[in-house]
Amino acid sequence: MRGVHLNRVRKSYGSVTIIDQLDLAIEEGEFLVLLGPSGCGKSTLLNAIAGLEPLSGGSISIQGRDVTALEPDQRDIAMVFQSYALYPTLSVRRNIGFALKMRGTAKADIERKVGEVADLLQITHLLDRKPGQLSGGQQQRVAIGRALVREPSVFLFDEPLSNLDAKLRADMRIELKKLHERLGRTIIYVTHDQIEAMTMATRIVVMNQGRIQQCDRPEVVYGRPANRFVASFVGAPTMNFVEGRFGRAGDHLAVLTAEGVIPLPGLDVALGQAGQPVTLGFRPEHVALAEAEDVTTVTATPLMSEPTGPDMYVLMRFDPARTGVGVGPELTIRVPADAAIARHQPVPLRLDGRRISLFDPQTGQRMN
Amino acid sequence: MRGVHLNRVRKSYGSVTIIDQLDLAIEEGEFLVLLGPSGCGKSTLLNAIAGLEPLSGGSISIQGRDVTALEPDQRDIAMVFQSYALYPTLSVRRNIGFALKMRGTAKADIERKVGEVADLLQITHLLDRKPGQLSGGQQQRVAIGRALVREPSVFLFDEPLSNLDAKLRADMRIELKKLHERLGRTIIYVTHDQIEAMTMATRIVVMNQGRIQQCDRPEVVYGRPANRFVASFVGAPTMNFVEGRFGRAGDHLAVLTAEGVIPLPGLDVALGQAGQPVTLGFRPEHVALAEAEDVTTVTATPLMSEPTGPDMYVLMRFDPARTGVGVGPELTIRVPADAAIARHQPVPLRLDGRRISLFDPQTGQRMN
Amino acid sequence: MALPTAVSAYVALIPATTITLVCFYAFIAWTFVISLTRSRLLPRYEFVGFLQYERLFDTARWWQAMQNLAIHGVLFTVGCIVVGYFLAILIDRGVKAEGVFRTIFMLPLSMSFIVTGIIWQWLLNPSFGLQAAVRGLGFEEFAFNWLVRPDRAIFTLAIAGIWQQVGLCMALCLAGLRGVDPNIWKAARVDGIPVWRVYANIITPMLRPVFFTLVVLLSSLVMKAFDLVVALTGGGPGFASDLPARFVVDHILNRQELGLGAAGAFMMLCTVAAVVAPYIYYELSKARRAG
Amino acid sequence: QTAEVLHWWTSGGESAALATIRAAYTAKGGVWQDTPIAGGGNARAAAVNRMIGGKPPTVFQYSVGLQLLELADQGLLNDIDDVAQVGNWDKALPPLIANISKYKGKYIAAPVNIHGENWMFYNFDALKKAGVEVPKTWADFLAAAPKLKAAGIIPLALGGEPWQERILFNSVLLGVGGREHYAKVYGKLDKAAMGTDTMLDVFKTVAALRPLVDESSPGRKWNETAGMVMKGTAAFQFMGDWAKGEMVAAKLEPGKDIGCALAPAKDTAYIMTVDAFAFSNVKDAPSKGAQTLMATVMMDPATQAAFSKRKGSIPSRLDVPDIGFDSCAKVAINTLKDPATHLVSTGLFGVPSAVSGAIDDAISQFWNNKAMTPEQGRDLFVKAIDRAK
Amino acid sequence: MRYNRVILYLLLAGAALAMLSPILLMLSTSLKTMDEIRNGSLFDLPHAPSFAAWGKAWVGRCTAGECDGMGGYFANSIAIVLPSLFLSIAVGSITGYALSLRQVRYADFLFAAILIGLFIPPQVTLYPMIILVRTLGLFGTTGGVILAHVVWGLAFTTLMFRNFFRSVPADLIKAVRVDGAGFWSSYWYIMLPMSLPVFAVAVILQFTYTWNDFLFGLTFAARDSQPVTVALNNLVGSQFGEQEYNVNMAATMLTALPTVLVYLCSGRLFVRGIAAGAVKG
Ligand SMILES: Nc1ncnc2c1ncn2[C@@H]1O[C@H](COP(=O)(O)OP(=O)(O)OP(=O)(O)O)[C@@H](O)[C@H]1O
Ligand SMILES: Nc1ncnc2c1ncn2[C@@H]1O[C@H](COP(=O)(O)OP(=O)(O)OP(=O)(O)O)[C@@H](O)[C@H]1O
Ligand SMILES: [Mg+2]
Ligand SMILES: [Mg+2]
């Protein structure tokens, strides 16, 4: 029972229940990312684990110890906040050493440990500055140092990178990941940025409205989302969805929409009954431009292209009639940056049937 | 002379010159993005165009009219701010309509125009709320609505999306682009996020320290950066750089480093003299995993991989000696999400010589 | 919540709670008890019911004082905030030597109410103050004799009070103005909104919390206004500028009417409870709702 | 024998006067600790507060009257009847003052002097310039006023504070109503007397005085007002005899450079107000000894004479000869020889202070509300006193 | 644009003059002789400026042939003001911090209850206060005055500090708890240093109130430890004696000097402190 275990955790404010009956087992050494839209209860859950908010029900154990009734500082955790929450009047040195001082650690020991942590994070030259004199990235590092120095068995991060600019965020991501590898401690990390989640997590917990939607390895969450919410929340640009019914196109399973047929070559034919309603989901990069139309392709009209540098995203509309305007649902596909795509010139597309997702339109649950 | 023309614009605060002798011609209907690191003077320039900061020198004309001495409201521009700068005590309706009211537009007209704008931005249901009761994205839309309603010939945006989360940012990006297409008005857009710049701009102006580094179409800025600053600033993960000297590997031009040879197959051989110092720059996606080593490949050791969902970025180290640890400079390459890459297992890589950039190490200017 | 932090916090509140209970509420209760007795110079617990209140309500001077309280309260509070806000706006328009002006405006704050009263009594005195000076310049018809006009004397109280406290209002408003997102200003300029309208329609409502604090502070000064009246008008002419605090103190300390004074004091506190307390409660609960 | 003496005599003249008592006291071996607190109200409140707080001053200045009796009633005072018996105070003091200084038949206060409140000070030059005689009656005064006005002189210098207005009013009350009427109204608080036509005449006269003051009158300090008479911008001031101190400070001799006379009246009378000291209920022998010594010194005729000469008052003992006093004081001493002239001020003693306050309120209200008729004024006056009783 | 600036500066200059002139008048009066005051206009400049009145004011009031000088009273005032300031601000800031914490129940209620104290005229409850101070054995001591100042300063200081601490980010409070700092250590190490700007404001205002106090000094202080305002009152407050206005003004200014200096020196701190959140609702 090492690691962190949440057992039927419930948290309500007054009559509003934010988190209800949540179970979660986090193993030691995991880098678990809580991912979800704003307001879904991620911070609330993290605060509950930290002991900053009393639970309304359930229990939490950390490293086999029931900590439900303990104060934050007794839970063997450390926390890093979105706003860094550095103590503005203390020097970096004292910021990092504060928790140790509060535990009565000897002066010399504090000094040594702070030194070690500062070395690790390469902030030794900043130790005598005040937080106000640091850049965002440096502040972030100090905040991490403050957590590190306590050598807790669990680190909690609440959107630690969201105040940084894109470039710095990318760098810090790598640093955090290296840090995790070096220390091997459990990390619970809250974010609503799915790139962060994908790149860092050993497991991702996707939450919505206080409930766990899916909890799995990043590739699985990305590749085989458990339900439509997860599918649409993870991935940018988001997954394309098409409502239709099961049908056939040649040898392949296909989805029939009002506008036409979308063949799904490579998909297991036994999956659904013909005529059964289904939501087809596929990611932009799982559609390829086909050389020529055939029974495995579907035609779409490019509306707008977004070159991002390495790639280009093209917004299209299904257009079986090749009107050049399109009538069907919109979709986005990813093509190489130098792909020759002309606006309003319909092109044949081929979906990769092995990588698509099918959802039950009623329940939203994954079918394949 | 329609559009916006900056003529030897200079702006200094006291003795510090922020922008010096800047010339820029923006054509009507362009979506011009000013891109640059924090503090490079983007906002200052935008404020100068808006008339919010008096110029220290030079002149500005908008739609053929010299506006250098005019007040902001007479320049036929509208502006959207990073912090939205909504009037917190007015309802959304009055926020949007205030500028019209100030110009003495009739009540009924205001009502109609606000309604149209709200329809366009799909915020009709929010019209009677106060800004504090809106989410970030909604606030952003109101801020845009406030600009739209005045039907100016030039829109100025100062990092309008940087306070939004990634997902919303992506959506708003598309919306803004559609809006631009629909209205056909000139847009000058400040950001330090290069994805925004790449996806939306018709032209990007990369600035640094108050100077224009490059001004061109996004593909050019990305694919053929004018100098090392642009190369490293645009693109995430950033371009890889290797310092070395011109040399040869078989038939190909190559860059020789202390650790070994990096062949550049496909590059024009006549480019540089052997032995001349050069900085090689190449983007992560312009390196491919080679099936086998040969004279066109270079060996590197994977250190860490970052799956982002569709792709995977692999951090590596040049490792001609195949130590499994690597001795040369670090580089990041992009591979498909399901590529089989094992840590510390050296792999042969092949650079795409037609897409690399070469810079003069002295001046930082592009050489090829 | 039985968290140790909270326990220490409650411990930390002991002195304040004790003071509040004993010195505020027990004393108020005591005042009420005394107001039910015949006490004259010293407390004597011979109860007479609400006799003192009957006497109080039958006293013209008391009603005059209450009316003055209302007039002065509004004039002083509103005047102070308006003038202070105006000065803050002037300073916030990016003036040079801002520090000098700020310091000058706050200087009167360092004066006590007594001193303020003395100075203004001189200035407003028709025969050797402002009026005399202006007449001395040749404007024989100039009249500024509010200090000695029963119907205007109460205004002089507000003038002197505003002079003294306006610096505080200025400082608070200035701080509030400095906290306004500069982009709001830019947006307004781009929208072509005249400066005064920006202040009127946008900035002023944003400073609501500042005004709240000011209203609380200033109205507390109004309630306690004693020294200023004594020094400036002595409550006169007659008792045209009397205020409840002076009425009460006068009766308790000079007139051996402790019972009547206590009744007056209790009525004052009732006024606070009726006027100010709901306002405080409203603002606090509003702030809480806003998070 | 250390005595802490709390008093409100802080101005130059007052302080010099008190120094004579102090000198006499220290000459007898006492040690004097001085605690001045300016302002009668402040000083009285401080004395009472210190008694409540348990650290009273040994001796403290206080006004004789009902307040003092209440303090005695609460057991906060020591009596000094022994000293009074030895000094034969009953004989020496005016009966009115003797009575009011006793609680249950024992002296609890030492009245050191008598101030007169119904004085009229005037400027000789101003009168001469306007061709006006010193008025003998209020009718004379009212007749003289227009001439003064015509000469550009303010007829009546008045500081518009309630107590100054009351001094003027009481002078009129005495002058128009006569001393018996005054005694009835204030001595017995006789409601019938207050309702008479005589009273109406008083109010009519007061009402007629309203236009005779300058516009700056309200709130003006009495000494600034006295300055007007000294400068000659105003002709008359009705004020207590302490006003002489201000004249002396301006190097003018009362009676010679500035005219002094009792206010116009039907019959001669003297509205007395008394400065007195009381003795807190200290228990230790040295302090009690100090109190005894202090009382003895204060009531010593020589000390009283020296004191009053500086203070501008007259001794409370009527058996002190008038040698060396200024001409105004001499008038006072001689007037008081006749007990029928003895009247009490409503200011600090004579009537309960609640009543005194109510009187001040009523008078002030009448004086300042120009629209109020004499009838209304009289009714207000009656009602106010009635309610405060 | 230009006109606007001119008008702006004219308005400011006018306001500055209006604010300053009363004080300047006091100064000029204090430099005149009594004759000049009796015969001249308030607005005349002194013919021959002389500091004689200031000297006289410094010597203080001589009563009953004894002069006690203002110097001693200044010392008394300082002996009262410093501990009062320290205590009332300590109590106010600790209370304010406790009341700002979200986990303290009824905090808003208690805060409102304390705020009411701001509205009670202290004269009204002087008797019970005397009894209380006497019961504590502090009557007639400096301690009594200090206690009174602490009591009547509580509402104000609490208001200032509570509002400031409310504006401290919630994350910071959480960080403190995670680091294991309890109420007191978090107060001492983190909150107290953070609130220094507000401290400046509270100190300045509370200093003004305390220094200018007359009532408590008069009522509760010992005979020989009364504050300078009592001495000032003895100089200027005589009702029936003759008045020396030049001395009065000099004494008044002398007494106000420390507070004036505080404002002159700390105007910047004051505004910064307020901006830091001292008085945000
Ligand atoms: N103290 C509180 N009282 C009442 N409701 C609260 C409180 N704190 C949070 N909530 C509500 O709980 C829900 C979850 O909030 P939480 O802060 O956990 O969201 P989050 O997932 O962290 O969002 P974000 O990404 O915006 O930080 C929200 O709807 C919020 O309004
Ligand atoms: N009022 C001012 N006085 C002096 N320097 C200023 C002023 N405003 C801006 N600067 C300086 O001008 C430079 C450019 O600022 P600017 O705001 O234009 O940068 P930016 O490119 O918009 O940066 P960011 O991305 O952070 O918004 C900065 O170095 C800044 O410090
Ligand atoms: Mg959160
Ligand atoms: Mg900017």
Side-chain angles (χ1 to χ4, degrees), chain B residues 37-44 47 82 158-159 190 192:
Chain B
S38 188
C40 73
K42 307 180 295 293
S43 302
T44 306
N47 286 341
Q82 170 173 4
D158 193 354
E159 316 208 12
V190 162
H192 56 236

Side-chain angles (χ1 to χ4, degrees), chain E residues 1-279:
Chain E
M1 206 60 203
R2 281 227 81 82
Y3 276 124
N4 283 345
R5 297 309 279 181
V6 172
I7 292 172
L8 176 67
Y9 280 100
L10 280 181
L11 281 171
L12 274 171
L17 188 70
M19 298 302 285
L20 217 46
S21 55
I23 298 174
L24 293 178
L25 282 177
M26 286 177 75
L27 185 63
S28 102
T29 305
S30 74
L31 300 178
K32 293 178 182 174
T33 64
M34 264 319 279
D35 283 340
E36 222 179 321
I37 294 171
R38 284 204 189 93
N39 300 317
S41 154
L42 183 57
F43 295 89
D44 292 343
L45 287 178
H47 296 312
S50 124
F51 280 93
W54 286 73
K56 234 173 152 178
W58 180 250
V59 168
R61 173 57 74 204
C62 300
T63 51
E66 183 180 291
C67 302
D68 43 10
M70 294 285 260
Y73 285 104
F74 268 95
N76 293 345
S77 267
I78 289 168
I80 291 171
V81 168
L82 293 187
S84 306
L85 255 188
F86 175 79
L87 278 176
S88 70
I89 287 184
V91 173
S93 77
I94 289 171
T95 308
Y97 178 43
L99 289 181
S100 76
L101 293 176
R102 277 153 226 271
Q103 68 257 45
V104 173
R105 295 227 261 159
Y106 306 116
D108 281 352
F109 179 78
L110 182 58
F111 178 55
I114 290 176
L115 270 193
I116 294 292
L118 209 53
F119 292 85
I120 306 174
Q123 294 95 341
V124 165
T125 51
L126 203 54
Y127 280 126
M129 193 69 201
I130 291 171
I131 308 278
L132 176 74
V133 171
R134 185 184 72 186
T135 313
L136 296 175
L138 292 174
F139 190 87
T141 67
T142 306
V145 195
I146 293 168
L147 177 70
H149 282 306
V150 172
V151 167
W152 295 106
L154 174 73
F156 175 72
T157 51
T158 302
L159 172 70
M160 305 277 285
F161 282 101
R162 184 258 186 200
N163 284 351
F164 170 76
F165 286 123
R166 259 288 148 105
S167 69
V168 170
D171 275 358
L172 203 69
I173 310 263
K174 289 182 184 171
V176 165
R177 287 182 62 199
V178 172
D179 275 352
F183 178 82
W184 295 106
S185 40
S186 63
Y187 173 76
W188 181 251
Y189 291 109
I190 311 292
M191 299 302 158
L192 184 70
M194 273 180 74
S195 63
L196 282 182
V198 186
F199 253 82
V201 180
V203 165
I204 294 168
L205 287 175
Q206 194 62 17
F207 178 85
T208 314
Y209 296 148
T210 318
W211 184 272
N212 286 333
D213 159 73
F214 169 65
L215 182 73
F216 297 147
L218 176 63
T219 309
F220 298 110
R223 196 183 80 86
D224 49 7
S225 61
Q226 286 183 321
V228 71
T229 42
V230 174
L232 174 68
N233 177 62
N234 286 346
L235 262 172
V236 309
S238 161
Q239 199 176 7
F240 292 96
E242 64 285 355
Q243 302 279 329
E244 295 174 290
Y245 288 122
N246 50 357
V247 181
N248 292 358
M249 287 300 135
T252 307
M253 299 202 62
L254 205 56
T255 315
L257 214 53
T259 48
V260 170
L261 283 181
V262 164
Y263 276 87
L264 284 181
C265 300
S266 57
R268 180 181 297 267
L269 275 182
F270 192 85
V271 172
R272 194 188 307 154
I274 287 175
V279 282

Side-chain angles (χ1 to χ4, degrees), chain C residues 33-187:
Chain C
V33 169
I34 290 298
S35 74
L36 300 177
T37 70
R38 200 188 289 285
S39 304
R40 288 197 171 275
L41 177 61
L42 295 171
R44 277 186 191 211
Y45 300 96
E46 279 170 44
F47 290 92
V48 292
F50 287 90
L51 179 70
Q52 301 286 18
Y53 290 90
E54 281 167 35
R55 291 181 59 206
L56 183 73
F57 296 152
D58 199 24
T59 307
R61 181 176 159 190
W62 168 255
W63 291 115
Q64 170 91 54
M66 287 301 275
Q67 185 191 331
N68 285 344
L69 178 71
I71 298 173
H72 179 58
V74 172
L75 282 182
F76 171 68
T77 312
V78 174
C80 232
I81 292 178
V82 168
V83 178
Y85 186 33
F86 182 68
L87 292 180
I89 288 174
L90 290 184
I91 284 190
D92 197 42
R93 297 307 300 167
V95 295
K96 296 215 175 69
E98 172 193 324
V100 174
F101 285 116
R102 220 174 40 205
T103 307
I104 290 178
F105 294 158
M106 294 204 310
L107 209 50
L109 263 186
S110 65
M111 306 278 154
S112 66
F113 275 117
I114 294 268
V115 173
T116 305
I118 294 173
I119 306 175
W120 281 93
Q121 198 210 356
W122 284 26
L123 267 175
L124 296 174
N125 184 307
S127 36
F128 55 87
L130 261 178
Q131 173 176 310
V134 176
R135 285 190 183 171
L137 293 176
F139 301 95
E140 287 300 335
E141 294 308 303
F142 178 79
F144 187 61
N145 54 359
W146 288 4
L147 189 66
V148 300
R149 283 177 57 180
D151 56 336
R152 292 288 161 82
I154 187 70
F155 299 153
T156 63
L157 225 51
I159 292 178
I162 290 171
W163 176 77
Q164 203 217 13
Q165 290 296 322
V166 78
L168 185 68
C169 302
M170 186 273 307
L172 262 71
C173 291
L174 188 58
L177 288 175
R178 294 280 151 90
V180 171
D181 177 2
N183 281 339
I184 295 256
W185 277 106
K186 292 186 180 173

